[in-house]
């Protein structure tokens, strides 16, 4: 890992510019931070490495995980409370910071209103289907494991994915256009094509500036009140993936995002002594559904055993598949449940059709008797509306006993998964960057994909858990940096 030098303010020969708050990166976390810092009375300078703002946020589907009784949840008659949302998120996160989760849940309805007030468009529709990204322009949809065992034991399942008003994918650009416009209107200063490559600390231990480079020219920028790091994740950096995520499959997986999601933010954070968290966390997907009927099939590994409830959120399923021998998995269907996975990108391959389970077992090179036993057990329990092994919801239980059968290869060895990193710098509920002793580093805040926030792995992820906390804690970072009171 390359850790850049940390400059000493006393040795800075010249400050080329000064702002109250310096924000590094102009994706969703940086834009929200900049707006709130500006509204807190600060002169704000955003430094962006690309030719314009947007980042990976602009490529995103525009799903924000929000709840606790948002205007949309109310409009469609869904009852949700911050307590239920908190209980669900606490149950889904490995080592949650309860105060950080609590604050996000309590303020979630207000945060939705805030996003809408910035011009981020949201409708009032509810998409009831099981999909990765709702194909309609409906806002609300179930995008996580709320209805999946054991999560429904902790909190009443409620949909919390709020998608920007746009048919299907691509709403992230609309959200970013609105936020960037607000920044322009309100006098946030932005420099582009400029990469921050070092932070500056004063004698009191406060982060008080940044060094950046643009067209070969080096400039040092002073931050009177605070620095907000919002420069994205590290999935595009192959070496860092090997270093931090050594168990992540080395085949069949591609990062998504922009080339600048290369760990530059992580490097800057480490240079200032930041602690990291959940560094091996990823969310990968090559979803089997839609069509939803495929959830009625079963997933088996190359031992012919089931290993995950098939109604899980696709990121949860992907992480379980990554834990199977050879990263291999098969989706088993009968003639009633058969269909082709819709996603062309996932490239799941139909192995073949088979007249009997025994023939399929042999055709897939599974140990003799393994698949026959797995299916006999599954079918007997499914006929009773039960899944004692993995607790798949009864809505998706149907005996697979109508020949012919079919199998798709859905493992990493024969599909294409797309992933994001979830690990990063550790922050608290004030969006302050924490050091190795858990103490806030004065003047230093962070938000978005460069921090390890609420979701820490694919098993507990829900779509929207990057943009939701990223935008919310971006606001917190901006507000606190503008106060400059740590
Ligand atoms: C295709 C796709 C779909 C997605 N869909 C969703 C979704 O629907 N819901 C959801 O919650 N999440 C989604 N995600 C994930 C989500 O988009 C990201 O986690 C989130 O946008 C990260 O926001 P950010 O502001 O932290 O980073 P970014 O948006 O990546 O912004 C970081 C910015 O920092 C800049 N930068 C980097 N290094 C430096 C440097 N050294 N100096 C200055 N600037 C620098 C970059 O150029 C970039 O503009 C999706 C991601 C992708 C790629």
């Amino acid at each position: 890992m390359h850790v850049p030098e940390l400059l000493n303010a006393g040795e800075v020969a010249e400050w080329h510019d000064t702002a109250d708050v310096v924000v590094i990166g102009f994706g969703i976390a940086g834009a929200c931070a900049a707006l709130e810092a500006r509204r807190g009375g600060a002169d704000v300078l955003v430094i962006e490495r690309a030719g314009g703002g947007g980042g990976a946020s602009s490529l995103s589907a525009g799903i924000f995980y929000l709840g606790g009784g948002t205007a949309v949840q109310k409009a469609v008659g869904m009852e949700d409370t911050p307590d239920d949302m908190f209980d669900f998120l606490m149950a889904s996160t490995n080592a949650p910071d309860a105060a950080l989760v609590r604050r996000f849940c309590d303020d979630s309805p207000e945060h939705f209103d805030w996003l809408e007030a910035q011009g981020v468009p949201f409708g009032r529709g509810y998409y009831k289907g099981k999909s990765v990204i709702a194909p309609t322009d409906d806002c609300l949809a179930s995008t996580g494991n709320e209805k999946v065992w054991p999560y429904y034991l902790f909190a009443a399942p409620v949909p919390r994915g709020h998608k920007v008003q746009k048919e299907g994918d691509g709403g992230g650009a609309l959200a970013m256009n609105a936020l960037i416009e607000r920044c322009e209107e309100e006098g946030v200063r932005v420099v582009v094509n400029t990469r921050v490559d070092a932070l500056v600390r004063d004698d009191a231990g406060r982060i008080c500036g940044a060094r950046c480079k643009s067209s070969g020219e080096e400039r040092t920028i002073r931050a009177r009140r605070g620095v907000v790091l919002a420069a994205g994740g590290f999935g595009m950096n192959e070496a860092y993936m090997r270093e931090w995520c050594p168990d992540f499959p080395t085949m069949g997986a591609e990062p998504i995002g922009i080339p600048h999601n290369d760990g530059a933010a992580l490097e800057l954070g480490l240079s200032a002594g930041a602690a990291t968290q959940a560094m091996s966390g990823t969310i990968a997907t090559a979803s089997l559904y839609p069509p939803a009927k495929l959830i009625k099939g079963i997933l088996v590994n190359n031992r012919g055993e089931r290993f995950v409830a098939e109604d899980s959120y696709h990121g949860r399923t992907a992480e379980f598949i990554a834990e199977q021998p050879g990263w291999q998995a098969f989706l088993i269907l009968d003639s009633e449940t058969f269909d082709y996975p819709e996603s062309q990108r996932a490239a799941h391959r139909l192995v073949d059709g088979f007249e009997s389970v025994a023939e399929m077992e042999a055709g897939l090179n599974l140990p003799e008797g393994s698949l026959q036993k797995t299916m006999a057990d599954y079918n007997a329990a499914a006929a009773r509306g039960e899944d004692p092994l993995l607790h798949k919801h009864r809505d998706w239980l149907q005996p697979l006993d109508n020949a012919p059968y079919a199998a798709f290869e859905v493992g990493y060895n024969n599909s294409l998964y797309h992933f994001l990193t979830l690990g990063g710098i550790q922050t608290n509920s004030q969006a302050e960057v924490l050091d190795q002793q858990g103490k806030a580093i004065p003047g230093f805040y962070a938000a978005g994909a460069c921090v390890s926030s609420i979701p820490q792995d694919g098993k507990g992820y829900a779509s929207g858990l990057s943009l939701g906390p990223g935008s919310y804690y971006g606001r917190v970072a901006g507000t606190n940096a503008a106060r400059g009171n740590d």
Side-chain angles (χ1 to χ4, degrees):
M1 174 107 208
H2 165 73
V3 179
E5 60 182 328
L6 179 63
L7 306 178
N8 184 333
E11 289 165 17
V12 171
E14 183 186 358
W15 294 106
H16 298 88
D17 197 350
T18 297
D20 295 322
V21 174
V22 169
V23 177
I24 305 170
F26 204 19
I28 192 124
C32 292
L35 272 176
E36 291 293 54
R38 184 78 189 116
R39 289 169 187 170
D43 169 34
V44 180
L45 177 68
V46 178
I47 305 174
E48 167 55 52
R49 184 170 159 192
S57 309
S58 272
L59 300 181
S60 76
I63 301 169
F64 292 71
Y65 194 90
L66 299 167
T70 64
V72 187
Q73 289 178 317
K74 284 186 181 141
V76 303
M78 289 287 165
E79 272 192 32
D80 193 10
T81 63
D83 283 351
D84 268 343
M85 184 178 173
F86 174 78
D87 290 343
F88 171 72
L89 288 177
M90 290 296 284
S92 340
T93 305
N94 287 335
D97 173 338
L100 189 147
V101 179
R102 183 84 246 178
R103 182 174 184 168
F104 174 59
C105 298
D106 286 349
D107 290 352
S108 194
E110 181 277 335
H111 183 53
F112 173 82
D113 295 343
W114 184 89
L115 287 166
E116 209 168 34
Q118 308 319 305
V120 179
F122 292 105
R124 289 293 182 270
Y126 171 38
Y127 181 77
K128 295 190 182 66
K130 181 107 172 163
S131 183
V132 176
I133 300 168
T136 62
D137 70 353
D138 290 318
C139 179
L140 198 62
S142 275
T143 58
N145 290 302
E146 293 85 354
K147 282 176 79 175
V148 174
W149 185 91
Y151 301 101
Y152 60 72
L153 302 175
F154 295 93
V158 184
R160 300 197 180 95
H162 289 64
K163 186 166 79 71
V164 167
Q165 191 166 27
K166 180 171 188 308
E167 274 186 19
D169 203 351
L174 300 185
M176 283 312 299
N177 290 348
L179 293 166
I180 289 171
E181 264 178 38
R182 294 295 81 71
C183 286
E184 281 166 7
E185 279 169 13
E186 298 191 23
V188 168
R189 295 191 287 137
V190 181
V191 291
V192 297
N193 294 315
T194 304
R195 178 197 165 128
V196 172
D197 68 352
L199 296 172
V200 188
R201 184 171 63 184
D202 66 17
D203 288 342
R206 189 181 180 83
I207 299 302
C208 64
R211 184 183 67 194
C212 49
K213 277 198 187 120
S214 178
S215 312
E217 196 191 326
E218 205 167 83
R219 291 163 61 80
T220 319
I221 316 294
R222 189 158 74 97
R224 285 192 206 93
R225 302 190 200 168
V227 171
V228 178
L229 186 59
F234 65 90
M236 290 291 168
N237 190 320
E238 255 185 75
Y240 289 177
M241 279 303 297
R242 278 197 301 276
E243 181 175 346
W244 295 106
C245 310
D247 296 332
F248 189 73
T250 50
M251 64 196 302
E254 274 180 1
I256 48 171
I258 55 164
H260 294 162
N261 297 148
D262 60 359
L266 190 59
E267 294 169 357
L268 291 169
L270 290 180
S271 77
T276 55
Q277 181 175 277
M279 286 306 292
S280 61
T282 53
I283 159 70
T285 180
S287 188
L288 311 170
Y289 59 81
K293 71 190 285 202
L294 297 183
I295 296 167
K296 294 183 174 171
I298 58 168
L299 284 167
V300 298
N301 59 20
N302 62 18
R303 294 193 288 250
E305 298 159 345
R306 287 176 72 219
F307 52 87
V308 64
E310 294 80 3
D311 57 343
S312 297
Y313 169 70
H314 49 94
R316 179 173 172 79
T317 301
E319 189 143 325
F320 275 97
I321 290 177
E323 290 172 357
Q324 302 313 305
W327 305 309
Q328 208 177 358
F330 300 99
L331 173 66
I332 306 293
L333 302 160
D334 71 352
S335 62
E336 282 194 10
T337 51
F338 181 81
D339 210 332
Y340 284 88
E342 257 174 38
S343 169
Q344 300 296 314
R345 288 178 86 197
H348 297 313
R349 187 181 70 90
L350 177 66
V351 183
D352 211 345
F354 303 93
E355 288 308 318
S356 70
V357 175
E359 192 188 306
M360 179 160 57
E361 184 180 271
L364 300 179
N365 287 319
L366 303 178
E368 198 177 334
S370 61
L371 184 62
Q372 296 179 68
K373 174 167 177 7
T374 294
M375 289 190 65
D377 291 350
Y378 177 81
N379 286 346
R384 300 192 303 272
E386 293 170 8
D387 177 18
L389 184 67
L390 295 167
H391 309 278
K392 180 167 158 178
H393 196 282
R394 59 185 307 140
D395 288 356
W396 304 107
L397 289 173
Q398 174 176 318
L400 302 171
D401 51 10
N402 283 288
Y405 300 93
F408 284 91
E409 287 247 34
V410 297
Y412 286 77
N413 63 320
N414 238 319
S415 301
L416 187 55
Y417 284 73
H418 292 93
F419 70 91
L420 297 164
T421 53
L422 296 176
I425 291 161
Q426 199 176 356
T427 51
N428 62 14
S429 61
Q430 298 295 339
E432 295 167 315
V433 176
L434 302 181
D435 67 14
Q436 307 286 339
Q437 283 71 46
K439 276 182 54 194
I441 300 173
F444 197 23
Y445 304 85
C450 64
V451 309
S452 158
S453 182
I454 295 175
Q456 297 184 4
D457 66 7
K459 288 182 182 171
Y461 193 84
S463 287
L465 273 177
S466 298
L467 295 179
S471 55
Y472 174 71
Y473 276 107
R475 290 178 62 200
V476 173
T479 302
N480 287 339
R483 288 194 187 125
N485 57 356
D486 49 27

